[in-house]
Amino acid sequence: MIEFEQPSRRELLTAIGKAGGAVALYQAMTALGHAAPTQFAGPPKLSGARPGASVVVLGSGLAGMVAALELQKAGYKVQILEFQDRPGGRNYTVRGGDVIKETDGTVQKVQFAPGNYLNPGPWRIPFHHQALLHYCSELGVALEPFVQINLNGYIHSDKAYGGVPQRIAEVGVDYKGHVAELLAKAVNKGALDDTVTAEDKARLLEAMRGWGLLDKNMAYTTSLQTSAQRGYDRPPGGGVNGAPTPSQIASLSDTLDPRVWGTVSGFFSRTMQQTMFQPVGGVDMIGKAFARKLAGLIRLNARVTKIAQDDAGVTVDYVDTVTGKASVAKASYCVCTIPLPLLSQIEVQVSAPKQAAIKSLPYHSSCKVGLEMKRRFWEQDEAIFGGHSFTTQPIGEVGYPSTGFFKPGPAVLLGAYAGGANAYTFAAMTPAQRIETALKQGSVFHKQYRQEFSNGVAVAWTKLPWITSCASTWSEDLRREHYQNLVSVDGRIVLAGEHCSYIGAWMEASLLSAIDAITRLHQRALAA
Amino acid sequence: MRRALAFVLLATAGAAAAQSLGDTTSNGSPGAATTSGEQTYREICQACHMAEAQGGTGPGAAPALAANPRLGDPDYVLTRILRGRAGMPAFAELLTAEQTADVANYVRTHFGNAYSTPITTADVKRLAPPPES
């Protein structure tokens, strides 16, 4: 049926596009469910700032820096206050020699070899995050493919396959094979007679046969046909012994483990589909590129202590975290991108509803562990090039580098990406305990771990003094009560960042939020 | 439905986080194991509130729970744990009702706090945020 609908939709969209232009076309596409999830319609075209108008931007993450960049283009005098000793915020990469300080004074010194890195926060870019891709292009940030889907990675569940990791291809093919067989049986028993026409029953059976690789008896079985997707015991070769032997399929029951089917279906998530990208050399190449454009405008080590406003403008009190010197920044307007866990503990002169929103939105956390291994054994021994292996253990997954394939020498694995409650259990450990936990749990996939391990680093976001968490956690309930209050322009102040979006913890969220915020702030400034 | 959501998040961790979370992993089995209030405190709360519940330091510091008169109100304690606020994460979907009650009772009876009226799982369920549809 879909095949017959598409041309008519396309014709309709073409007509709308001709009549109403790109915006009407975009809106129509959204209504019809065809548009990409981003709402990016090109960079903001702001101009005509009033002479002498100025903006103080709080925070030099991607939201703050894109706001500063575009407001400067519009004619505003811009300054940025940044709490850390580097610009970029969560757009963050750690390399050999870097120091990570935690809230309780714990210090880690990264020991990775030159060229190796870990992205503790954002690390991958969906192909449809057009705002981020636009700015990467504009700022000259080189991108390369991020291997998100690799069916040669493993799945491990403590409740399936006797706890033995399986290749994702094997379990994925078994899952659809068994489901196809069951559906075919249901059709043949007449169980679907009241919902499927006789004609479609025949077509459905044919589809199940092809999709599930069913045999002539409509059964999913061990065969060379199923092995052509799940892999062989002995793969096809050349010459005298070239004949392949099939691999043994596993049970339906094992595939019904949520870690198993959830991983397979998760690859279809709109934000996880290929092609994904990553910046060459580390995700912080994006923040660094923005910062280069804003040279001289970013004051580092500036801890904001108070934000006030009146008819004349905005006053921001801050303290230099190195010298202890207190200062005041004044501007006509303020774009505040300080994450809410910190902003909620700062005196901010905004309306009561906005204050309530700032205090009410909770954040969640995560922990990533980077393990530098002496060689790429996952490539050399197991033919895994990028992608992930997933587990029910607290580490969540092992992530394989998407760059530097085949290179000799050390490389960095993502040894843990702990979320949910596990993010906090990792944070409560010392860095050495986090690394040991990652080594122990990751060994379920790779027996080479202990022998090849060189050094590691464990970034628990809960323990980072400049954010104490990872990203915002909206619920429908919270959205109803607080979202519009959070994003509204309040006098001369507007908030921006991923917390002011419906996207969540993606770099695209920071950019789209900031672009929308400064567009509204600029309108307010011109109307004043 | 909330438990079902958490289950799906667990299943798809790292591959597909919920829209509301974005690209942050959600693996974390709610109520995977029964733990004592003390264990939950040591394994989770201590990361921010510190070993003696003395609270953290710095701009985003967690407050002290030690000798904290606010802990006298059971609903205050539970609401903070379940919904979070001002830097405190929301644990409604990360801990079971039993774990939540146990850890609340633990902090209310340790670290210089002596509020003996026990919090029950019924209290937890009464104050839990509405499930996501």
Side-chain angles (χ1 to χ4, degrees):
Chain A
M1 287 304 288
I2 288 168
E3 284 147 38
F4 295 99
E5 277 176 18
Q6 276 177 341
S8 64
R9 279 195 195 179
R10 206 174 299 134
E11 287 160 20
L12 174 64
L13 289 172
T14 306
I16 293 169
K18 279 175 184 162
V23 173
L25 177 63
Y26 177 82
Q27 287 166 349
M29 287 175 74
T30 305
L32 293 173
H34 276 200
T38 185
Q39 293 186 4
F40 186 64
K45 304 244 182 319
L46 311 180
S47 62
R50 298 199 175 192
S54 59
V55 180
V56 59
V57 176
L58 308 181
S60 67
L62 295 192
M65 290 200 286
V66 77
L69 188 69
E70 294 296 347
L71 286 167
Q72 199 181 30
K73 283 184 197 167
Y76 291 91
K77 185 173 181 296
V78 173
Q79 60 178 320
I80 307 176
L81 301 180
E82 168 56 47
F83 175 59
Q84 294 194 75
D85 60 2
R86 61 165 184 88
R90 279 167 277 187
N91 182 265
Y92 180 35
T93 301
V94 295
R95 303 178 179 80
D98 286 347
V99 171
I100 303 165
K101 291 178 187 159
E102 303 195 347
T103 47
D104 58 6
T106 302
V107 170
Q108 294 181 76
K109 189 164 181 195
V110 185
Q111 300 171 59
F112 294 158
N116 286 341
Y117 64 84
L118 171 72
N119 293 323
W123 53 326
R124 50 189 167 182
I125 308 171
F127 66 88
H128 48 78
H129 280 185
Q130 295 295 331
L132 186 55
L133 293 174
H134 164 84
Y135 283 99
C136 285
S137 174
E138 180 180 317
L139 300 171
V141 177
L143 301 177
E144 62 190 354
F146 177 98
V147 180
Q148 170 59 23
I149 300 175
N150 180 356
L151 301 186
N152 212 35
Y154 296 102
I155 289 179
H156 164 258
S157 169
D158 53 1
K159 296 187 183 69
Y161 305 101
V164 178
Q166 310 289 308
R167 300 279 187 174
I168 298 173
E170 295 169 349
V171 303
V173 174
D174 287 356
Y175 172 56
K176 70 182 172 69
H178 286 303
V179 169
E181 181 184 314
L182 288 174
L183 188 54
K185 277 180 182 157
V187 169
N188 284 331
K189 280 185 177 171
L192 300 179
D193 284 357
D194 56 348
T195 48
V196 182
T197 65
E199 187 193 6
D200 278 350
K201 269 172 67 176
R203 298 172 72 218
L204 181 57
L205 286 171
E206 196 49 37
M208 289 305 101
R209 188 205 298 277
W211 179 63
L213 308 174
L214 307 185
D215 66 14
K216 61 182 189 304
N217 301 318
M218 296 301 278
Y220 179 67
T221 54
T222 294
S223 68
L224 288 176
Q225 183 190 9
T226 53
S227 292
Q229 284 193 358
R230 72 190 304 288
Y232 302 85
D233 260 9
R234 176 187 175 80
V240 177
N241 292 318
T245 56
S247 60
Q248 182 71 39
I249 66 167
S251 75
L252 164 72
S253 182
D254 284 318
T255 69
L256 299 180
D257 183 275
R259 175 74 274 178
V260 174
W261 60 258
T263 299
V264 177
S265 66
F267 288 141
F268 282 89
S269 169
R270 184 63 171 158
T271 47
M272 295 295 158
Q273 295 170 15
Q274 294 287 25
T275 304
M276 296 193 89
F277 299 99
Q278 64 179 9
V280 176
V283 78
D284 69 347
M285 294 299 172
I286 301 173
K288 285 177 170 169
F290 269 108
R292 275 196 296 275
K293 285 277 184 188
L294 298 164
L297 302 181
I298 306 174
R299 177 180 288 276
L300 300 174
N301 304 311
R303 174 183 168 185
V304 172
T305 56
K306 186 179 174 185
I307 304 166
Q309 58 174 328
D310 60 21
D311 290 346
V314 178
T315 305
V316 178
D317 294 1
Y318 66 96
V319 176
D320 187 307
T321 56
V322 177
T323 65
K325 182 172 174 286
S327 303
V328 175
K330 287 181 181 293
S332 317
Y333 301 96
C334 173
V335 176
C336 177
T337 72
I338 298 173
L340 299 185
L342 298 198
L343 188 63
S344 61
Q345 303 192 30
I346 296 171
E347 187 183 340
V348 190
Q349 194 180 351
V350 290
S351 69
K354 192 183 290 292
Q355 303 230 23
I358 289 169
K359 286 196 163 40
S360 299
L361 179 59
Y363 276 44
H364 58 276
S365 194
S366 76
C367 177
K368 278 189 185 173
V369 177
L371 303 174
E372 184 165 76
M373 297 292 180
K374 293 170 199 161
R375 67 182 182 94
R376 294 172 177 257
F377 56 80
W378 53 93
E379 296 180 5
Q380 296 161 3
D381 304 349
E382 291 160 276
I384 298 172
F385 298 90
H388 323 259
S389 289
F390 299 101
T391 172
T392 49
Q393 300 173 104
I395 57 170
E397 70 160 276
V398 170
Y400 307 98
S402 291
T403 192
F405 296 134
F406 307 108
K407 277 192 181 169
V412 173
L413 280 177
L414 177 65
Y417 190 5
N422 294 322
Y424 302 97
T425 58
F426 268 82
M429 299 177 199
T430 65
Q433 289 170 332
R434 295 171 203 152
I435 290 165
E436 172 55 29
T437 303
L439 287 171
K440 188 176 172 193
Q441 296 182 4
S443 295
V444 77
F445 295 120
H446 303 292
K447 62 183 186 305
Q448 307 94 322
Y449 251 45
R450 297 285 181 181
Q451 191 179 336
E452 303 296 346
F453 175 67
S454 171
N455 67 88
V457 64
V459 182
W461 283 81
T462 295
K463 305 287 274 189
L464 297 180
W466 47 276
I467 188 160
T468 70
S469 56
C470 195
S472 60
T473 315
W474 283 103
S475 64
E476 287 178 27
D477 201 38
L478 285 165
R479 292 247 189 233
R480 254 191 312 277
E481 198 173 345
H482 297 297
Y483 183 79
Q484 291 300 333
N485 292 335
L486 190 70
V487 302
S488 65
V489 176
D490 187 309
R492 297 171 173 274
I493 299 171
V494 68
L495 307 190
E498 61 80 22
H499 50 288
C500 298
S501 82
Y502 270 74
I503 301 169
W506 291 94
M507 293 181 279
E508 183 81 355
S510 306
L511 298 181
L512 292 184
S513 159
I515 289 168
D516 176 68
I518 61 171
T519 302
R520 286 180 290 121
L521 192 68
H522 181 56
Q523 286 165 356
R524 174 73 60 95
L526 293 185
Chain B
M1 275 312 286
R2 183 144 37 89
R3 286 284 168 257
L5 173 69
F7 199 51
V8 171
L9 289 177
L10 164 70
T12 58
Q19 173 94 342
S20 62
L21 294 183
D23 192 18
T24 43
T25 184
S26 309
N27 65 310
S29 168
T34 308
T35 52
S36 69
E38 179 174 11
Q39 248 179 308
T40 300
Y41 185 84
R42 295 294 163 211
E43 290 179 1
I44 293 182
C45 318
Q46 181 178 311
C48 298
H49 293 284
M50 312 304 284
E52 303 303 321
Q54 73 270 33
T57 53
L65 302 178
N68 187 335
R70 288 182 145 180
L71 269 54
D73 178 357
D75 286 10
Y76 173 89
V77 177
L78 284 180
T79 305
R80 286 293 180 276
I81 297 173
L82 291 167
R83 294 171 183 257
R85 185 175 175 84
M88 170 78 181
F91 285 96
E93 300 194 6
L94 304 183
L95 299 174
T96 63
E98 289 76 13
Q99 288 173 320
T100 305
D102 287 350
V103 76
N105 285 325
Y106 177 74
V107 295
R108 277 164 47 84
T109 53
H110 291 77
F111 311 117
N113 301 309
Y115 304 105
S116 53
T117 314
I119 288 173
T120 65
T121 54
D123 296 325
V124 177
K125 284 166 187 163
R126 172 171 55 84
L127 293 167
E132 290 288 286
S133 54

